[in-house]
Amino acid sequence: MSPDFARAVELLRAGQLVAFPTETVYGLGADAANPEAVARIFAAKGRPVDHPLIVHLYGHDAVDRWAEQVPGFAWELMEAFWPGPLTLILKKQAWVPSTVTGGQDTVGLRVPGHPVALELLRGFAADGGPAGIAAPSANRFGRISPTTADHVREELGDCVPLVLDGGPCTFGIESTIVDCSRGAPVTLRPGHISAAHLEAVTGIQPQLEAAAGTPRVSGSLEAHYAPQTHMRMVAGERLLDFLDAQGQQGVRCGIIGQSQPPLAGMPHLWCLLAADPVAYAHDLYATLREMDHAGVDLIVVEAPPDRPEWVAVSDRLRRAAGGSGSA
């Protein structure tokens, strides 16, 4: 084990925080079996304590330590998609700290598909015990999730004793979350693993459930993933008229679009993202951060296509617009 990994494991066992990369976004990790350590996550992020965390495991053979009454279709999903960007909500074992679950009777579990995360988890599990790392995204609550180590340092600074640098994240948006605790799979947060992927494995088409009341999972608030600059989503056919109106009012916009800018001399800053949803998702949060630092008055996002493969991106953009400008 390298010195950085050894120090990371030492910090986790001492109840301290460690930020680490996953294939989705960077996580802010603590020993999930230690309520005092988990409380440090909430303090560092400014996160409400009734928001449950996801517990990261080194393999699906650790699931029974954390969950009970695991249905057959949940095991099928684990076999198909772990390690990978899928979180499963399961009935928790009685011992699991309420600080992790937000006081609920379920726990979110996943095995990340990133070599740095897996090495950290294996090292942390080497001395036995439950060996799970609770880790939401490593950013201030409600803000843009980090997809590089520099994003984590920018967001949290000295709040994190160690940031393991694994380069840019592969997928760039958070995991799909599927509730497996109610007899049939229900998608609580869309992600890279789509409803079609889930149905292909289980033979069951999962419903997408809108959040209501106390959050059952991470990232389910209507305002989340948000830049500090005000942000609007505008349909492509209305985009140029909207920008013209903003320009006449002296508003400088930063545009995140899939269409080429019409004029080289436009007064606005224009960033072109891919027309492919996977590539778009990979670049989304980093681009939002760039726009947030660009000194524009308004971030304008060209609304993505209304097609199933864009559901996860559309979800993140809608929530980002809902929480933007609230700092």
Side-chain angles (χ1 to χ4, degrees), residues 256-260 270-277 280 302-305 310:
I256 299 174
Q258 297 171 271
S259 305
Q260 288 284 352
W270 198 292
C271 182
L272 190 66
L273 292 189
D276 170 71
Y280 188 108
E302 181 181 359
W310 287 90

Side-chain angles (χ1 to χ4, degrees), residues 266-290:
M266 280 194 80
H268 307 299
L269 179 64
W270 198 292
C271 182
L272 190 66
L273 292 189
D276 170 71
V278 175
Y280 188 108
H282 176 273
D283 295 336
L284 174 58
Y285 289 152
T287 303
L288 280 175
R289 283 180 178 274
E290 289 173 12

Side-chain angles (χ1 to χ4, degrees), residues 64-108:
D64 284 332
R65 299 183 181 188
W66 292 85
E68 61 180 15
Q69 302 173 23
V70 180
F73 69 81
W75 290 112
E76 292 174 350
L77 292 172
M78 294 176 215
E79 291 290 342
F81 298 116
W82 282 3
L86 178 67
T87 296
L88 301 181
I89 305 299
L90 299 161
K91 290 290 185 183
K92 75 177 187 73
Q93 292 283 0
W95 71 267
V96 176
S98 61
T99 47
V100 169
T101 66
Q104 299 179 36
D105 64 352
T106 54
V107 62

Side-chain angles (χ1 to χ4, degrees), residues 233 236 258 274-277 280 302-314 317:
M233 260 205 302
Q258 297 171 271
D276 170 71
Y280 188 108
E302 181 181 359
D306 185 17
R307 296 200 298 266
E309 62 268 30
W310 287 90
V311 166
V313 166
S314 297
L317 288 173

Side-chain angles (χ1 to χ4, degrees), residues 9 98 124 154 193 251-252 291:
V9 169
S98 61
F124 187 54
E154 174 190 321
I193 295 174
V251 177
R252 184 168 185 259
M291 286 294 186

